[in-house]
Amino acid sequence: MGRDGMDTVAVSANRLPTAELVMDLIPKGVSVDALREKGIVPIEASGGTLVVAASSLAATLDAQILAVGTGKTARVAIFPENQINALIRTLYDLKSGVAQDTLNAIESVDDLSQLARQEVLSDTVDAPVIKLVNGLLLEAIKERATDIHLEPFEDKLLVRYRIDGVLNDRYELTKGHQSPVTSRIKVMAKMDIAERFVPQDGRIGIALGDRAVDIRVSSLPTQHGERIVMRLLDKARGLLTLEDLGMRGKEKEKLDGLIRHPHGMILLTGPTGSGKSTTLYAILQALARPEVNIITVEDPIEYDLPGVGQVQENEKAGVTFASALRSILRQDPDIIMIGEIRDFETAHIGVQSSLTGHLVLSTLHTNDSVSAVSRLVDMGIEPYLIAGCLLGVVAQRLVRRVCPNCKTEIEAPAAMRRYGIERAYIGAGCDQCKDSGYRGRFGLYEQFDVTPEIADAVSNGAAVGELRKLAISGGMRSLLELGLASVKAGETTSEEILRVVGEV
């Protein structure tokens, strides 16, 4: 017998029931918020007894109060705290979806005070617009979306999620939803809700129980209203290593060799959303040591890096990449990371820093690795300076991985057979991949190493085509070659390589 004469039982070896079964056991008027606060969950009703899961007997009184609402006596079952928390999160998933009654309840919002910021992971919110926005955020995070798009049209508001790099239409909301949903998001992001004709940027920090998610919000005035895009940064996923990103074999060996240089410049290139910043963070993790001073200037700071000094660019306050770089050089850095080289001034200071004993890492927008040289020349950097400082360039792309649950072997398309690939794989579609055939992404990394021969060619103003020939003769594998190898290994599909890398 437990205290107050209440039965207790230790059943930690048993499994907790499904969230669907637990949902039916929660007494009317008791919220999931209350269960989370007390750390208890009803898991079984038998006769006159309600079995309540808890992590310790300290929750005995709370369990007894919970049972009173069902007219039963309580019996406590001891389970690990992490299992109880996982079950509670699943209960939120069941209760916090974008329900149709929530959509129907939104007509207009007259009192903007009801849009005040609240805990996102909650089932006790009453305002329909808050329920709707919370539901969209929760669903997007659950489905591993990186972006949420709210696109206004003449007669509707289209909601789309970007999952594994591809946009998917999710909801068509009525025109009446547009104003309240937009206002709610702008209030959460601390943006000016009265200003509808000027682009704005904001940030939202939300809590999902013990998970923290940062959201970057951008609004853009369009013909039919403000278009909202939210970039989700789920800190629960943590920082990734180079191995996590899919870099392996010769490419990883080459990059490991490059980043061990005491000085010089390493550039990452690729289109927006190709994972350049994530790769930079992985490199900085590999380089971070107590005896090394690393300072970054970023826009924005996406993740906190232990042992690294991070500076946020702020043009309004006069903190640009170039001005921050000048100050950073007075901080005695060993390694400098510049979020992006956008202009001559930033490029010039970065080049000078790499020539004076610093290792400089940055990103550049070019289609391939070799074109980074011509891009720097176009910015006004002299070829001989580029030859003297540039260690190498990595061009990267993210491609979707075939879903391992529904992976099916097929005959390779004609485009692949030209390259000697006879068998390929596709995802047939299943619940785990939402019938897309893909789940998750990995990187392709084209690495252009500046050898002495290539440095001489750069100094002499060689064209991009000539530099590429020299690099390939020296062992560089192009994005296409890397993609074909991934198709042959069954990691991705030929259609995905055509989409990401281009025509073969």
Side-chain angles (χ1 to χ4, degrees):
M1 296 287 286
R3 60 185 184 184
D4 298 327
M6 189 167 67
D7 290 332
T8 62
V9 59
V11 289
S12 57
N14 293 342
R15 291 184 177 180
L16 288 167
T18 64
E20 288 80 3
L21 292 176
V22 170
M23 192 69 75
D24 294 332
L25 299 175
I26 299 175
K28 187 176 181 180
V30 176
S31 67
V32 181
D33 289 349
L35 297 179
R36 183 183 69 181
E37 182 182 351
K38 303 300 182 183
I40 58 176
V41 183
I43 58 173
E44 183 183 340
S46 178
T49 303
L50 180 70
V51 181
V52 179
S55 59
S56 74
L57 296 182
T60 297
L61 182 58
D62 293 324
Q64 188 175 25
I65 294 171
L66 180 68
V68 168
T70 65
K72 302 178 185 297
T73 59
R75 187 175 64 173
V76 175
I78 304 300
F79 281 84
E81 185 177 3
N82 63 330
Q83 292 185 23
I84 294 173
N85 290 338
L87 178 55
I88 290 174
R89 282 195 294 270
T90 308
L91 291 174
Y92 276 119
D93 288 341
L94 291 178
K95 295 194 70 175
S96 299
V98 183
Q100 190 61 44
D101 58 350
T102 299
L103 300 181
N104 295 338
I106 301 178
E107 295 297 336
S108 63
V109 177
D110 298 320
D111 181 11
L112 293 178
S113 64
Q114 68 177 300
L115 302 180
R117 178 181 180 135
Q118 297 189 27
E119 155 75 72
V120 169
L121 195 61
S122 175
D123 66 338
T124 57
V125 171
D126 293 324
V129 64
I130 297 179
K131 284 185 178 180
L132 172 58
V133 173
N134 288 0
L136 291 174
L137 294 174
L138 286 167
E139 184 178 70
I141 293 167
K142 181 182 177 183
E143 296 190 14
R144 302 176 299 103
T146 55
D147 302 85
I148 304 174
H149 290 235
L150 285 85
E151 303 173 5
F153 295 95
E154 185 177 4
D155 58 349
K156 64 184 178 182
L157 178 67
L158 181 63
V159 180
R160 302 205 286 172
Y161 296 162
R162 186 179 294 279
I163 301 173
D164 290 336
V166 178
L167 277 171
N168 302 276
D169 291 357
R170 187 51 53 95
Y171 298 103
E172 282 192 13
L173 308 183
T174 66
K175 198 64 176 176
H177 293 95
Q178 182 175 322
S179 177
V181 169
T182 300
S183 296
R184 167 61 179 164
I185 291 171
K186 290 174 71 175
V187 167
M188 293 177 73
K190 295 182 172 60
M191 297 157 71
D192 185 354
I193 61 173
E195 181 56 77
R196 294 177 291 136
F197 302 105
V198 175
Q200 296 186 62
D201 294 302
R203 296 181 74 102
I204 302 173
I206 65 173
L208 289 83
D210 55 354
R211 289 173 69 183
V213 178
D214 285 343
I215 303 173
R216 297 206 312 263
V217 183
S218 171
S219 71
L220 181 69
T222 67
Q223 179 184 5
H224 299 296
E226 289 179 281
R227 180 187 180 114
I228 301 286
V229 175
M230 293 180 279
R231 168 64 58 87
L232 308 177
L233 301 169
D234 187 354
K235 296 193 173 184
R237 296 181 186 175
L239 293 163
L240 302 177
T241 64
L242 293 172
E243 290 85 354
D244 294 332
L245 297 174
M247 185 176 284
R248 52 188 177 272
K250 291 182 179 179
E251 279 66 40
K252 185 175 182 303
E253 288 178 14
K254 285 183 179 180
L255 187 60
D256 281 339
L258 283 182
I259 64 178
R260 301 302 169 189
H261 279 75
H263 53 79
M265 177 179 281
I266 301 171
L267 298 175
L268 275 75
T269 74
T272 300
S274 60
K276 301 185 296 295
S277 296
T278 303
T279 303
L280 278 177
Y281 280 122
I283 291 172
L284 290 177
Q285 281 188 95
L287 293 175
R289 302 186 304 277
E291 64 272 19
V292 175
N293 182 18
I294 303 176
I295 304 180
T296 74
V297 52
E298 308 171 51
D299 181 29
I301 296 173
E302 295 186 4
Y303 294 99
D304 292 332
L305 286 168
V308 175
Q310 296 172 271
V311 179
Q312 169 69 54
E313 186 196 33
N314 186 345
E315 288 193 11
K316 291 181 180 178
V319 184
T320 63
F321 282 130
S323 65
L325 268 175
R326 292 193 192 92
S327 299
I328 284 172
L329 291 172
R330 293 192 286 271
Q331 293 282 315
D332 187 31
D334 298 298
I335 299 171
I336 301 169
M337 191 270 270
I338 310 168
E340 182 184 345
I341 293 178
R342 300 172 179 167
D343 51 41
F344 167 75
E345 190 176 12
T346 306
H348 180 70
I349 299 172
V351 167
Q352 293 297 328
S353 301
S354 65
L355 291 170
T356 54
H358 305 89
L359 180 63
V360 177
L361 309 171
S362 189
T363 68
L364 201 63
H365 281 287
T366 62
N367 290 326
D368 59 25
S369 57
V370 182
S371 297
V373 173
S374 61
R375 181 80 179 95
L376 289 173
V377 171
D378 290 343
M379 285 183 176
I381 305 300
E382 294 291 341
Y384 73 91
L385 291 176
I386 299 172
C389 76
L390 192 61
L391 297 173
V393 184
V394 179
Q396 71 176 77
R397 298 291 189 277
L398 291 177
V399 296
R400 291 180 292 173
R401 192 184 300 275
V402 174
C403 175
N405 189 58
C406 59
K407 188 175 179 179
T408 304
E409 187 176 6
I410 61 167
E411 182 181 351
M416 295 293 108
R417 290 200 296 274
R418 294 207 315 263
Y419 295 94
I421 300 174
E422 299 297 331
R423 307 299 294 175
Y425 294 85
I426 61 169
C430 64
D431 291 340
Q432 291 189 18
C433 63
K434 305 292 183 185
D435 292 321
S436 68
Y438 300 95
R439 184 168 176 82
R441 290 187 291 176
F442 64 96
L444 301 178
Y445 302 92
E446 175 186 282
Q447 292 202 185
F448 171 53
D449 292 340
V450 181
T451 62
E453 183 183 13
I454 289 175
D456 287 342
V458 171
S459 292
N460 294 326
V464 169
E466 183 181 343
L467 295 177
R468 176 167 282 277
K469 287 180 182 178
L470 287 173
I472 290 174
S473 65
M476 184 182 83
R477 300 173 71 196
S478 69
L479 287 169
L480 175 58
E481 286 182 75
L482 295 165
L484 293 173
S486 297
V487 171
K488 192 171 184 178
E491 295 175 316
T492 189
T493 66
S494 57
E495 291 79 10
E496 180 68 359
I497 293 303
L498 291 173
R499 181 185 74 84
V500 174
V501 177
E503 293 294 331
V504 295

